[in-house]
Amino acid sequence: IVHHLSSALDIIRTIRDPEKPNTLEELEVVTESCVEVHEIGDDEYLVIIRFTPTVPHCSLATLIGLCLRIKLQRCLPFRHKLEIYISEGTHSTEEDINKQINDKERVAAAMENPNLREIVEQCVAEPD
């Protein structure tokens, strides 16, 4: 599990903020303590990410959640279920955002939007 934990953290630490030149790790949106991994079956794991937006009314929180989900879905080298939440008490509309970023259909619909998809791709691209 420790190996899976560090692999999940390595995947998300390089995601860039949609508006700043920094990574989510540099902005402390994601930290080591925000990742949990639990074994839920034979060789399958539940990965839980709790991220902290830079400000309580951050308009990009949904987008950041989407970036986390897309990058982890693509890059995690093991079978997993993924739950992504905003750290409790760190955003004014955390419940709505949590629902949105954990709803497969809404995530799929968001990724069908070319503008949104382009932003996500830029954020999740590996640094050179």
Side-chain angles (χ1 to χ4, degrees), residues 104-121:
K104 280 195 176 80
E105 283 169 19
R106 287 165 86 172
V107 167
M111 287 305 284
E112 279 168 21
N113 174 324
N115 299 340
L116 207 51
R117 191 171 61 234
E118 193 182 331
I119 296 169
V120 169
E121 294 297 352

Side-chain angles (χ1 to χ4, degrees), residues 13 59 80 88:
R13 66 170 17 129
S59 58
H80 62 277
E88 216 173 302

